Amino acid sequence: MFGSTFNNGLEAVVINAAALILTLAGFGIFVALFGHNPLDVYYILYLGAFATQISIENTLTQSAPLMLTALCTAIPARAGLLVIGGEGALVVGGVATVLVGIHLGHLPPWAGVLIMGLAGSIAGGLWIGAAGALRQYRGVNETIATLLMNYIAIAIMNHLVSGPIRDFDQVLKTSSWSIPESLMVGTVPGLDVHWGLGVGVVTCVILYVIMRQTTFGFGVDILGGNPRAAQMAGLPINRMVLVCCFIGGAGAGLAGTMEIIAVHGFASESLVVGFGYAGILIAFLARQNPAAIIIVAILVGGISASGGLLQRRFDLPDATAAVLQGMLFVMVLASNTAYGRFKIFQVKAN
Amino acid sequence: MTEKPAMATLPPPDVMVTDMTKRFGALVALDAVSVHFESGTFHALLGENGAGKSTLVKCLMGYYQADEGDISVNGVTQHVTNPRHAHHLGLGMVYQHFTLVPSMTVAENLVLGEEGLPSVINWKEHLEILEAFMQSMPFRLDLNRPVSSLAAGEKQKLEILKQLHLGSRFLILDEPTSVLTPDEADQILGLMQQLTDENRISVVMITHKLREVEAYANEVSVLRNGRLAGQGYVKDLTHADLIRMMIGSEKVSKPAVRTEASRREIAFEIRNLVVGNDKGLTAVSDASLQVKEGEIVGIAGVSGNGQTELVEALSGQRDEESGEIFVRGMKYGKTRSEMREFGINMLPEDPLNNSCVREMTVAENLAIRNFDQPPTTYAGCLINRGAVRRHGRDLIERFRIKTQGPDVRIETLSGGNVQRTVLARELAGDVEVLIVQNPCFGLDLNAVAEIRNRIMEARNGGATILLISEDLDEILELADRIIVMFEGHFVFETSREKADVHEIGRHMASHV
């Protein structure tokens, strides 16, 4: 009843909070090794992430692509797959956006943006959908496939930007042609945060509704919960897996689109900055729940946002933010085994 | 090896359990139970599933720690903290399912449980010891045979020999005959009786079969709902006494009534079905059968002869290698729309793992068959969670599922109630074809009677039923036609009228 749902929710909150505290403690030891007071470091972490309007805007900007890449892991995971190909799907989506966008200068901006968004999400969706098809029809492990496909995607982009679509006017950085200036999107009114945030939040909310309120979502929960029960119920498992992979890939592809049309304007190595991998972390922290992804992405976005400040202020190594993120990832994964271990969260049997 | 008590000299352990209580959360699994397992007796622990028999012996063996009560072995109070400790006291357990390594020989299996085994085994010396040990036993096995070549009865013997070889002289047998044919069961229990009569070992046998108690045990303790419902010498108790102790004053529902069905068309057919198992070997070979409307065809056989793979192939959990399935003359592709159109329903074994989602609620699990149909949907694709809950509540009431409500996770229910939940889901709608595997496994007598009645009702209503069961009594009670499955083949077929237990038993054991 209410009690059990409440207990389950409380259990998730307590366990994730414990993981967060343990992570901060571990990170405290790490910075203490460099001779800094952990409390000062925590304060700067807070300052850089959430203290001022600028830091909040910075955090939200960082979190926008993470919401979308997290979906790439979360949605297939609901069907029982472990997809880690968000990085590749984002790159593929970004490249597709550029390839389409450079021809759309004559269109009104809303139409151009819409078409580019579709191009990015379809490309990302097909990319991860292919991994789903390989799994369902050829028995290829989807985790390995999507991991390797990340490298393939990056290689394809590198090939394109260093040859076929290279913009030779850009001398500082190997990059593709830029999409027309008219098709670039601006910031959300009142905030210095680009529209990727709005797209991310809306996409997560829509997917939350789909997974929670439709028969499709219910079927996916059966499949993810017990594939044998899904088989026995005659559910169209192959189709459901392909659709989930497509949706997840489309999320990451859309992240690629937003990176192009709101940030860079062209495809380059700048797309490959680990949003896809951070998305895996977020999906697990949010327990594959699209609504929870929004909040967790902002939290992790905060870590990234304050990373630079942390490094500058304390003269810590470049990888410090990555160390913190990695610690958090390990703690969260480890804490997943704690579910059901604590008696106080269990509903008492009659 | 050296501290092993010499078999011929010391009497077997005398074990006393006093006022043992064990709780799991709010559930009292054992309530102040006292039993004296006298040295050298064959003691039966009788009771229905869930009566507390397993809990009692698991406390004895140190798998569980009792909340209250004492265990004394040969008059000395012991805190048995783990199975190794129990083993040092001479207590050993033979499990319902085999724990042998199939690819190793009899000798290797006997040796692998030994403690303090040296890194390099002197096989010559060991084989001599084992040979001498075998000679001292009333039953023997060839030490060099691989376990995979042993029949079920021989494996059971090896399990017992292994315990004896390891020095256990107080043997707990957990439902020892569940995987044996009737003849094998008689042989094994006869040997156990002989060993206890010679005062070489003490035996505790967990069972729910009255016949075995009456034929082989000296003493019996009956458990019911965690309490001791009675005990005494078997010779002093009548059949009626034992039944009364086992089920109390409750009335057992009458056996299902069979009526003559009017429509008799073939509704379900399997043609030349070949199914592989997880190891890529053939589990079901060229199986063909037809089931008519209003007919129950029972497939009997000892566990592991391809029944599970057959059911998986029929339920869509495993692809067949070749062959076809027809429903009402049309090829059946195991899709959801076909299942709905033909009214095909499934009651697989181990329902929690085979047809439920543990993390979902009881109501959600009850909706797995029809969640995509009105009234649990609206606007075609949206799910109406209120209707799912109402549908669940309705079925919980109709099928008397014991649960805290429709919104608790199904994994919190007892095995019997999970079974009931799946039964409710599968029988609630339009049932034309029903495929059932071991539907009463682990249920109490009343639940068994109720489930069998419901299956019979479905048959009388004209449903086409394929019943796959390891319980021969269940097949004999329900089936109109009986097929015996052995090593993937349908080796024997008989009608209900001509069925002979011993003939069926012989075919279950091997090709004849």
Side-chain angles (χ1 to χ4, degrees):
Chain A
M1 302 212 186
F2 173 73
S4 84
T5 329
F6 176 74
N7 270 341
N8 287 341
L10 189 67
E11 185 180 20
V13 168
V14 170
I15 287 176
N16 280 328
L20 191 63
I21 290 167
L22 284 173
T23 306
L24 286 176
F27 186 63
I29 294 171
F30 175 77
V31 292
L33 288 177
F34 288 91
H36 302 291
N37 182 351
L39 293 178
D40 294 343
V41 174
Y42 298 149
Y43 178 67
I44 294 298
L45 210 56
Y46 164 74
L47 216 59
F50 303 106
T52 63
Q53 167 142 18
I54 292 175
S55 58
I56 290 173
E57 282 166 354
N58 203 355
T59 293
L60 292 177
T61 304
Q62 291 283 340
S63 66
L66 299 181
M67 290 178 196
L68 291 166
T69 53
L71 292 171
C72 189
T73 297
I75 302 298
R78 295 188 71 106
L81 279 75
L82 180 53
V83 165
I84 55 173
E87 193 84 5
L90 181 148
V91 166
V92 167
V95 169
T97 303
V98 169
L99 289 177
V100 173
I102 49 181
H103 302 293
L104 298 179
H106 57 285
L107 286 180
W110 65 267
V113 166
L114 187 68
I115 291 172
M116 285 189 293
L118 282 173
S121 25
I122 290 172
L126 291 177
W127 190 253
I128 301 299
L134 278 174
R135 170 186 141 116
Q136 291 309 110
Y137 300 110
R138 310 290 337 142
V140 179
N141 179 298
E142 78 281 3
T143 312
I144 305 290
T146 49
L147 174 68
L148 297 179
M149 284 168 75
N150 286 340
Y151 297 108
I152 298 174
I154 294 165
I156 291 174
M157 181 190 72
N158 284 339
H159 167 72
L160 291 175
V161 301
S162 59
I165 59 169
R166 177 166 185 179
D167 183 352
F168 288 96
D169 293 340
Q170 297 258 19
V171 284
L172 291 176
K173 195 176 201 176
T174 311
S175 58
S176 74
W177 298 318
S178 295
I179 61 167
E181 196 64 38
S182 63
L183 297 183
M184 293 292 286
V185 297
T187 58
V188 180
L191 275 175
D192 189 23
V193 181
H194 68 70
W195 270 107
L197 178 68
V199 171
V201 170
V202 169
T203 309
C204 284
V205 169
I206 290 174
L207 282 171
Y208 173 77
V209 172
I210 288 177
M211 300 319 285
R212 177 74 198 159
Q213 299 295 339
T214 65
T215 53
F216 173 76
F218 192 84
V220 169
D221 283 349
I222 295 173
L223 174 58
N226 184 358
R228 290 176 69 82
Q231 288 170 325
M232 196 224 47
L235 294 173
I237 292 172
N238 288 344
R239 197 169 76 207
M240 285 161 63
V241 166
L242 293 188
V243 170
C244 285
C245 286
F246 185 89
I247 292 175
L254 197 53
T257 299
M258 295 318 295
E259 284 300 294
I260 298 296
I261 68 176
V263 183
H264 304 296
F266 51 79
S268 73
E269 277 285 342
S270 312
L271 286 177
V272 191
V273 288
F275 289 140
Y277 293 110
I280 303 167
L281 160 68
I282 292 161
F284 274 90
L285 255 172
R287 305 204 85 201
Q288 331 299 356
N289 177 335
I293 282 175
I294 299 174
I295 299 171
V296 178
I298 291 172
L299 184 76
V300 174
I303 294 176
S304 310
S306 56
L309 185 61
L310 215 55
Q311 278 158 300
R312 283 194 303 279
R313 189 69 70 85
F314 294 103
D315 196 24
L316 285 164
D318 286 350
T320 304
V323 167
L324 180 54
Q325 232 179 56
M327 280 183 174
L328 185 60
F329 199 1
V330 171
M331 286 295 174
V332 169
L333 284 182
S335 73
N336 266 332
T337 63
Y339 286 94
R341 294 270 178 101
F342 299 104
K343 272 198 179 147
I344 53 164
F345 299 121
Q346 307 308 313
V347 183
K348 299 239 161 40
N350 266 337
Chain B
M1 292 287 315
T2 42
E3 77 269 41
K4 194 172 79 175
M7 242 201 140
T9 52
L10 287 169
D14 180 284
V15 176
M16 183 104 90
V17 172
T18 319
D19 290 330
M20 188 180 274
T21 298
K22 175 71 189 169
R23 299 182 198 92
F24 295 102
L27 178 86
V28 183
L30 272 184
D31 190 358
V33 172
S34 301
V35 185
H36 183 191
F37 301 105
E38 268 179 68
S39 172
T41 57
F42 191 131
H43 197 121
L45 266 183
L46 182 68
E48 298 191 44
N49 287 292
K53 299 169 302 206
S54 298
T55 311
L56 177 64
V57 299
K58 280 181 180 161
C59 288
L60 260 183
M61 289 301 296
Y63 286 102
Y64 297 152
Q65 311 300 313
D67 296 318
E68 287 158 36
D70 288 321
I71 297 167
S72 75
V73 179
N74 294 332
V76 183
T77 304
Q78 300 282 356
H79 278 281
V80 185
T81 48
N82 57 51
R84 183 172 288 234
H85 185 187
H87 177 70
H88 283 294
L89 296 169
L91 316 186
M93 183 152 167
V94 174
Y95 299 90
Q96 200 170 353
H97 296 285
F98 299 128
T99 58
L100 302 166
V101 183
S103 58
M104 295 173 100
T105 65
V106 169
E108 286 166 334
N109 270 284
L110 285 174
V111 168
L112 62 80
E114 283 178 17
E115 278 182 42
L117 210 55
S119 316
V120 179
I121 298 173
N122 182 344
W123 276 108
K124 190 164 170 287
E125 191 185 313
H126 250 86
L127 281 172
E128 277 167 18
I129 295 171
L130 289 174
E131 199 59 56
F133 164 75
M134 277 289 181
Q135 292 303 323
S136 69
M137 289 290 128
F139 50 103
R140 292 178 193 104
L141 291 168
D142 181 350
L143 285 169
N144 295 316
R145 274 177 73 187
V147 165
S148 55
S149 76
L150 300 180
E154 291 173 306
K155 285 183 189 162
Q156 187 74 274
K157 283 183 196 164
L158 179 53
E159 291 279 7
I160 292 167
L161 285 171
K162 189 167 120 188
Q163 286 303 324
L164 296 175
H165 173 63
L166 295 177
S168 302
R169 300 189 54 212
F170 182 93
L171 276 192
I172 301 170
L173 309 175
D174 185 5
E175 303 268 1
T177 59
S178 61
V179 292
L180 304 182
T181 65
D183 289 344
E184 285 175 327
D186 284 334
Q187 203 200 356
I188 297 266
L189 294 181
L191 288 165
M192 290 294 102
Q193 194 178 31
Q194 189 190 332
L195 282 170
T196 51
D197 287 349
E198 293 170 6
N199 203 27
R200 293 171 73 177
I201 58 171
S202 310
V203 169
V204 176
M205 174 175 69
I206 298 180
T207 186
H208 62 272
K209 293 179 184 165
L210 290 172
R211 190 188 69 85
E212 293 175 353
V213 175
E214 287 165 334
Y216 299 103
N218 311 115
E219 282 185 59
V220 59
S221 295
V222 185
L223 293 181
R224 187 172 79 236
N225 294 331
R227 294 204 184 84
L228 190 65
Q231 58 190 163
Y233 291 101
V234 174
K235 61 177 166 35
D236 301 335
L237 295 166
T238 66
H239 191 76
D241 289 335
L242 289 174
I243 290 187
R244 206 184 46 250
M245 289 178 193
M246 208 163 132
I247 61 171
S249 53
E250 295 173 63
K251 280 222 170 71
V252 179
S253 323
K254 289 211 178 71
V257 182
R258 182 183 302 270
T259 61
E260 275 319 304
S262 50
R263 297 181 301 165
R264 300 291 275 173
E265 278 179 31
I266 292 168
F268 187 81
E269 186 179 359
I270 300 170
R271 275 188 217 156
N272 309 104
L273 199 68
V274 179
V275 187
N277 64 12
D278 291 336
K279 293 178 194 145
L281 304 172
T282 304
V284 179
S285 320
D286 201 24
S288 299
L289 65 77
Q290 297 178 332
V291 194
K292 292 180 184 145
E293 294 167 332
E295 182 184 44
I296 299 177
V297 170
I299 296 186
V302 176
S303 169
N305 274 290
Q307 297 99 319
T308 299
E309 287 82 0
L310 174 65
V311 173
E312 285 174 340
L314 298 179
S315 66
Q317 293 177 335
R318 189 181 283 279
D319 289 331
E320 59 266 24
E321 281 166 13
S322 64
E324 286 161 321
I325 306 165
F326 293 89
V327 180
R328 301 201 176 278
M330 311 236 262
K331 200 164 175 331
Y332 173 53
K334 302 178 247 185
T335 64
R336 196 165 173 85
S337 55
E338 285 170 311
M339 287 176 190
R340 187 165 289 138
E341 185 189 340
F342 295 128
I344 296 174
N345 289 277
M346 290 273 167
L347 263 175
E349 65 177 350
D350 190 9
L352 188 59
N353 289 321
N354 264 318
S355 68
C356 292
V357 182
R358 286 166 178 273
E359 300 83 8
M360 284 185 153
T361 67
V362 176
E364 286 167 344
N365 272 288
L366 282 165
I368 285 177
R369 278 277 174 218
N370 62 0
F371 70 88
D372 48 355
Q373 294 279 299
T376 49
T377 60
Y378 52 88
C381 66
L382 297 181
I383 192 148
N384 181 342
R385 295 210 173 243
V388 167
R389 195 169 297 122
R390 277 192 298 281
H391 169 259
R393 201 172 283 140
D394 173 48
L395 287 182
I396 286 167
E397 205 165 293
R398 267 171 59 199
F399 284 78
R400 298 199 297 278
I401 301 164
K402 277 188 207 150
T403 162
Q404 287 178 302
D407 298 326
V408 299
R409 287 180 175 203
I410 193 156
E411 62 184 351
T412 64
L413 267 57
S414 71
N417 281 303
V418 172
Q419 185 81 339
R420 239 179 243 266
T421 306
V422 176
L423 189 80
R425 177 178 83 206
E426 301 295 316
L427 291 185
D430 166 36
V431 183
E432 291 186 35
V433 177
L434 185 62
I435 295 163
V436 194
Q437 186 182 18
N438 296 330
C440 299
F441 191 80
L443 302 188
D444 63 50
L445 287 182
N446 275 308
V448 167
E450 184 195 330
I451 285 175
R452 288 183 186 164
N453 270 323
R454 288 195 193 266
I455 292 171
M456 186 58 82
E457 258 169 47
R459 169 209 175 269
N460 293 343
T464 305
I465 299 177
L466 186 62
L467 167 71
I468 297 97
S469 179
E470 284 151 31
D471 181 350
L472 191 51
D473 295 335
E474 178 166 80
I475 300 252
L476 291 169
E477 179 184 332
L478 292 176
D480 294 285
R481 202 142 53 81
I482 298 163
I483 292 174
V484 176
M485 192 164 187
F486 178 76
E487 291 187 348
H489 297 270
F490 292 160
V491 292
F492 180 68
E493 180 174 337
T494 178
S495 68
R496 168 182 184 72
E497 292 75 25
K498 294 192 191 122
D500 170 63
V501 185
H502 293 285
E503 195 179 11
I504 293 172
R506 273 205 309 283
H507 284 93
M508 281 162 69
S510 67
H511 284 283
V512 182

